[in-house]
Amino acid sequence: MQIQELNKEQQKAVNHIDGPMLVLAGAGSGKTKVLTNRIANLIENGISPYNILAITFTNKAAKEMKDRVVRLIGKEAYNIQISTFHSLGLKILKENYSMLGYEKNFTIIDSDDVLIIIKKILKDKNMSKDRYNPREIKNKISSAKNEMMSIDSFAKVEFDHKVVEVYKEYQQKLKNGNSVDFDDLLILPIKLFRNYPRVLEEYQDRYKYILIDEYQDTNEAQYTFSKLLSAKYRNIFVVGDNDQAIYAFRGANYKNILNFEKDYPEAKTILLEENYRSTKTILNAANSVIKNNHERKDKNLWSNNATGNKIKYKEVANEKEEASFVGTEIKRLLSEGINEEDIAVLYRTNAQSRVIEEEMLKKNIKYRVVGSFYFYNRKEIKDLLCYLRLINNHKDDVSLLRVINTPRRGIGDKTIETLTEEATTRELSLYETISKGKELEFKNLIEDLTKASESLSLTELIDEILEKTGIKKELSASKLLEDEIRLENLNEFKGVTKSYEEEYGTASLGDFLDEISLVSDMSEHQDSSNRVSLMTVHSVKGLEFDYVFIVGMEEGIFPHYNAINDGSNSAIEEERRLCYVAITRAKKELYITSADTRMLFGNPMRNQPSRFIDEIDKEYIDKERPKKLEKIITKVRKAVDKNATYEVGEHISHTEFGEGIVISVDKSIITVAFPHPFGIRKLMKGHPNITKL
């Protein structure tokens, strides 16, 4: 380990051995280097690798951390548990499944499977999908679990008792099917720890030294899990940045990091403020924005890097002009020898990508849309995975229902309905209920494949499934291009099994399925060739690029309309943290654009430039607003009389507050969202200071 490569504050963090520590690590301050070097230092100080636990949020981050530790200390690193929260939860669950009432080969169901179960419950209960949105119910159940709410507690806050009934039924179906969902991978270990103190102590004695990355992104379940594990020895070392807390919509609670010193009064705190990524100008711009947040621990990023160019802000007439500007600038950068992979275009919502993509195609610029498509969500891959899951766990009703008639083998809805009723009455799985007809032929097929799985490799088993089920025959016989692509995708999946076998040798089907279930980072499956990256600001967290474009910096877009309409400081502060994350992705140059008019939801909307642009100190930004745009804006303005009508989404101008968006209309009163610092205002319709745009 080379301590001399670390700055003074990094060294303090790395050399810390016993007791709790909070490391507030600003963007680009080398937090991963600190984490990996601390692990190496613990081992150098006689701590057994077996007693060290490092937790990250993605499989990709966990792999990168392990690779770095291997380079530092060698093969000893393989004895360290470096994983995601969910991977660790799964490990604990697999070691103690019987104590929680599960059988060995339990299934981990994914998000789509959850929806299938909920839809089935709604159908059985004659609950209208128009009134009861399956996805909304799914989110409520997930939120309840992540907030550590029991069904009884959930019943106290959920006004509709039928939704509570769905939750109860859903949990019962999971249990009957020897299945767990993703949220259960943390909830069940917590239940285990609370019900069996001796088991908890065993894991506390094993993981005496705990390191957690991105602590600001922990939810209630992850927070509770960490607190239980660290309670005995209190050697918990957390790294994070409250200014980069942007996942409240996923249940993350940034206050966990703000409250760390209350939870551990003896904790030491280290600030990592030296940035190694960005120019001084970009950093100063980011600092000038984030300082407007109040719910934060104060720190100020600085850098020894070059001053760099000012941020280039371009205001344009519409989204097409915006896309043209971005495309032209990227073309110029490429002509100067910049690689595509060093450029990123960031936007607040996925809907903004379309015109950018069109421009990339028009200008023949190679690009990838990160996070918009996921290999394992393709229909044919889902079907294959369900066959594998059913072979591994015959009680997996969700997988059975998906493939029992895929390809079509004459098993109709009526047959399935009869089977379901019988299974419910007899308290058996669907598989156990099957005793006759074409469904028995299907059962025999699964039995044969299960037997084959005992002697075949994973890749050989895939070939066997494709042949025996008739999937390969059906797709090969089809003349549709779509089916040809599906067959190619299935062959591509064999590349996944081959890679897995090369890495792990002979591996069980159950272990392979566990690995696939835990692959949550979409970027791991993206085309890694040299391309410009197009992505949402949420997707870019943890990444960096030499040249960054942030498009759509307008009120109602960024900050998002929902945050403005929320009317709370916390919602706007989350948007500002998101802006801070976006700015600090840029290493060399940053471009910001806004459009006066943008097509949204099928309608043209006029937009005020984002408040975050004005929050950037003038010395760090060059603003460009074409004169012709000034004329256009002046031309479309017209006076409003007392009888004027307003609609939600319309834009108005106020002599004092500037341009705003109408968010509600009530008789003689309109409610308007104005830029910071004016916020939400109620105004008389006929007020002389109002101009309709």
Side-chain angles (χ1 to χ4, degrees):
M1 184 176 69
Q2 298 179 324
I3 281 284
Q4 67 270 19
E5 294 182 358
L6 304 172
N7 66 40
K8 187 178 176 182
E9 294 306 301
Q10 288 174 332
Q11 287 184 37
K12 285 182 185 176
V14 166
N15 288 325
H16 178 80
I17 304 296
D18 295 312
M21 174 168 275
L22 168 64
V23 180
L24 285 172
S29 62
K31 66 180 179 67
T32 306
K33 182 189 280 189
V34 166
L35 281 163
T36 52
N37 276 273
R38 187 187 181 240
I39 291 171
N41 191 50
L42 287 173
I43 291 169
E44 282 191 7
N45 279 273
I47 308 300
S48 168
Y50 184 79
N51 294 135
I52 299 172
L53 167 66
I55 301 175
T56 68
F57 272 81
T58 68
N59 293 293
K60 184 180 179 183
K63 185 178 184 303
E64 287 177 354
M65 188 180 291
K66 179 151 283 187
D67 289 345
R68 286 203 194 189
V69 179
V70 169
R71 289 196 293 271
L72 284 171
I73 65 171
K75 291 182 180 179
E76 271 193 295
Y78 292 112
N79 296 318
I80 303 167
Q81 180 74 32
I82 302 177
S83 64
T84 64
F85 275 105
H86 291 101
S87 295
L88 178 61
L90 174 61
K91 175 182 171 63
I92 293 169
L93 191 51
K94 287 176 74 173
E95 290 171 352
N96 302 277
Y97 59 88
S98 61
M99 300 178 78
L100 290 161
Y102 290 88
E103 296 175 22
K104 186 178 181 181
N105 291 329
F106 59 83
T107 298
I108 306 167
I109 66 169
D110 65 16
S111 186
D112 285 348
D113 293 333
V114 172
L115 277 175
I116 290 169
I117 295 174
I118 290 172
K119 286 175 182 176
K120 178 69 170 59
I121 294 169
L122 293 177
K123 185 181 177 183
D124 291 345
K125 291 184 175 291
N126 293 317
M127 293 168 65
S128 168
K129 287 183 186 178
D130 295 332
R131 181 176 175 186
Y132 296 98
N133 185 306
R135 196 170 295 277
E136 190 176 323
I137 293 176
K138 169 185 168 291
N139 291 339
K140 282 185 176 184
I141 292 172
S142 182
S143 295
K145 287 188 176 186
N146 285 320
E147 291 172 23
M148 302 294 296
M149 296 172 67
S150 66
I151 292 179
D152 289 340
S153 299
F154 179 71
K156 291 176 182 176
V157 297
E158 175 54 51
F159 71 91
D160 194 330
H161 72 277
K162 285 193 173 183
V163 175
V164 178
E165 287 177 14
V166 173
Y167 188 1
K168 287 179 181 176
E169 185 81 13
Y170 168 76
Q171 283 301 109
Q172 193 58 53
K173 283 189 178 295
L174 287 190
K175 197 68 186 294
N176 291 345
N178 193 34
S179 302
V180 298
D181 62 24
F182 225 60
D183 298 319
D184 289 330
L185 295 181
L186 279 180
I187 301 303
L188 290 172
I190 291 170
K191 183 180 177 182
L192 178 76
F193 290 165
R194 286 174 168 171
N195 292 345
Y196 301 96
R198 286 187 181 178
V199 175
L200 171 60
E201 193 168 6
E202 285 174 14
Y203 285 101
Q204 289 173 333
D205 288 338
R206 176 169 179 180
Y207 302 124
K208 293 179 181 178
Y209 292 85
I210 300 170
L211 302 90
I212 303 175
D213 193 14
E214 305 287 6
Y215 193 70
Q216 78 280 348
D217 293 333
T218 52
N219 60 31
E220 188 65 25
Q222 291 159 342
Y223 167 79
T224 303
F225 183 76
S226 308
K227 206 169 179 184
L228 284 167
L229 268 183
S230 63
K232 184 175 180 179
Y233 295 98
R234 299 178 74 81
N235 296 322
I236 181 168
F237 182 95
V238 304
V239 180
D241 183 6
N242 54 288
D243 290 334
Q244 296 187 70
I246 59 173
Y247 295 123
F249 67 96
R250 291 184 190 170
N253 185 358
Y254 71 95
K255 290 187 178 180
N256 288 343
I257 195 167
L258 297 177
N259 292 332
F260 185 84
E261 290 156 311
K262 292 179 183 175
D263 293 332
Y264 304 91
E266 74 274 32
K268 295 179 179 177
T269 300
I270 299 284
L271 293 181
L272 300 184
E273 297 175 299
E274 184 177 358
N275 176 285
Y276 296 93
R277 176 187 297 157
S278 307
T279 65
K280 287 186 174 72
T281 296
I282 291 170
L283 276 185
N284 289 334
N287 286 333
S288 65
V289 172
I290 200 63
K291 72 181 182 184
N292 291 281
N293 273 7
H294 301 291
E295 288 275 336
R296 64 188 292 261
K297 285 185 177 288
D298 194 32
K299 61 180 181 304
N300 198 60
L301 285 186
W302 60 275
S303 176
N304 279 320
N305 292 341
T307 301
N309 295 328
K310 286 187 177 183
I311 294 167
K312 297 177 179 66
Y313 168 55
K314 177 92 168 176
E315 188 177 1
V316 296
N318 52 53
E319 71 269 28
K320 288 186 178 179
E321 197 172 301
E322 178 182 63
S324 178
F325 167 74
V326 171
T328 301
E329 282 298 301
I330 290 175
K331 243 342 194 185
R332 181 184 63 77
L333 291 170
L334 296 177
S335 70
E336 293 174 0
I338 306 301
N339 292 323
E340 286 93 339
E341 65 186 359
D342 295 324
I343 304 170
V345 182
L346 310 182
Y347 35 80
R348 178 63 180 83
T349 63
N350 277 307
Q352 295 168 251
S353 73
R354 182 185 58 82
V355 286
I356 304 292
E357 285 190 72
E358 287 175 0
E359 191 66 25
M360 297 291 109
L361 291 167
K362 194 165 82 176
K363 286 188 165 59
N364 200 27
I365 299 169
K366 291 188 294 181
Y367 73 95
R368 61 175 187 151
V369 182
V370 178
S372 69
F373 189 74
Y374 190 31
F375 178 76
Y376 293 102
N377 279 343
R378 295 170 182 170
K379 179 189 179 302
E380 60 278 11
I381 303 300
K382 288 277 292 182
D383 291 343
L384 180 56
L385 281 170
C386 281
Y387 270 111
L388 290 170
R389 287 172 181 161
L390 189 58
I391 291 166
N392 185 60
N393 175 16
H394 291 170
K395 289 186 176 182
D396 186 348
D397 285 353
V398 174
S399 293
L400 183 145
L401 286 170
R402 183 177 181 101
V403 298
I404 192 170
N405 204 37
T406 303
R408 294 189 180 278
R409 45 179 67 95
I411 301 172
D413 291 344
K414 184 65 180 174
T415 301
I416 293 169
E417 190 175 331
T418 303
L419 272 175
T420 304
E421 287 173 1
E422 188 180 347
T424 304
T425 304
R426 296 172 62 190
E427 294 185 346
L428 297 171
S429 68
L430 289 172
Y431 193 90
E432 291 169 315
T433 309
I434 293 172
S435 61
K436 60 182 180 181
K438 291 180 179 178
E439 57 269 33
L440 182 58
E441 293 176 17
F442 171 76
K443 184 177 182 178
N444 291 334
L445 168 67
I446 299 300
E447 290 287 352
D448 290 342
L449 290 170
T450 303
K451 191 174 180 180
S453 71
E454 295 169 5
S455 57
L456 298 177
S457 71
L458 288 171
T459 305
E460 289 169 341
L461 179 60
I462 300 301
D463 280 326
E464 192 79 357
I465 292 170
L466 296 179
E467 287 287 348
K468 291 287 179 64
T469 61
I471 291 175
K472 185 178 179 181
K473 183 180 178 180
E474 183 182 71
L475 294 176
S476 299
S478 174
K479 294 183 180 179
L480 295 174
L481 178 61
E482 182 183 358
D483 287 337
E484 187 181 325
I485 293 169
R486 284 177 174 170
L487 193 58
E488 288 175 2
N489 289 337
L490 289 167
N491 287 325
E492 187 180 335
F493 186 83
K494 288 194 285 185
V496 177
T497 58
K498 284 176 182 175
S499 297
Y500 186 81
E501 286 166 339
E502 286 171 8
E503 186 172 352
Y504 295 99
T506 305
S508 74
L509 174 58
D511 288 341
F512 174 72
L513 289 171
D514 289 341
E515 186 79 12
I516 294 297
S517 296
L518 292 168
V519 177
S520 57
D521 196 354
M522 294 182 185
S523 63
E524 293 178 50
H525 307 283
Q526 292 289 337
D527 181 2
S528 59
S529 57
N530 191 17
R531 296 174 182 271
V532 173
S533 295
L534 275 54
M535 66 183 85
T536 66
V537 184
H538 282 103
S539 300
V540 81
K541 177 92 179 295
L543 303 177
E544 58 184 37
F545 299 89
D546 287 348
Y547 301 87
V548 171
F549 295 79
I550 308 174
V551 300
M553 285 288 282
E554 303 137 29
E555 291 291 301
I557 304 243
F558 200 179
H560 196 272
Y561 169 75
N562 290 342
I564 297 171
N565 199 29
D566 184 271
S568 68
N569 284 332
S570 62
I572 291 295
E573 291 204 355
E574 174 115 350
E575 291 289 302
R576 188 173 285 111
R577 290 193 293 269
L578 196 56
C579 180
Y580 174 81
V581 167
I583 293 172
T584 54
R585 298 312 95 189
K587 296 166 70 175
K588 294 180 179 179
E589 289 198 20
L590 176 64
Y591 300 78
I592 293 174
T593 61
S594 70
D596 179 66
T597 305
R598 184 179 301 275
M599 194 67 73
L600 288 172
F601 313 113
N603 296 304
M605 302 270 292
R606 301 208 58 246
N607 305 299
Q608 182 84 356
S610 171
R611 69 190 71 188
F612 304 143
I613 296 170
D614 288 335
E615 290 176 359
I616 298 173
D617 289 349
K618 291 179 181 178
E619 60 184 295
Y620 308 127
I621 187 168
D622 277 335
K623 296 183 178 181
E624 183 183 340
R625 189 182 200 188
K627 287 183 180 178
K628 65 175 183 178
L629 182 60
E630 293 277 8
K631 291 178 182 176
I632 292 169
I633 293 169
T634 305
K635 208 171 180 180
V636 298
R637 291 185 176 179
K638 50 186 180 182
V640 178
D641 61 32
K642 292 183 180 182
N643 299 316
T645 57
Y646 296 84
E647 291 180 1
V648 173
E650 266 191 326
H651 286 244
I652 64 110
S653 177
H654 190 278
T655 54
E656 183 181 351
F657 307 142
E659 290 187 22
I661 306 170
V662 179
I663 60 176
S664 72
V665 180
D666 182 28
K667 295 180 180 178
S668 61
I669 301 290
I670 58 171
T671 305
V672 183
F674 291 102
H676 179 79
F678 304 110
I680 308 294
R681 302 278 176 155
K682 292 186 182 293
L683 304 168
M684 296 292 294
K685 285 183 177 178
H687 199 283
N689 290 348
I690 299 174
T691 304
K692 195 172 182 180
L693 300 179

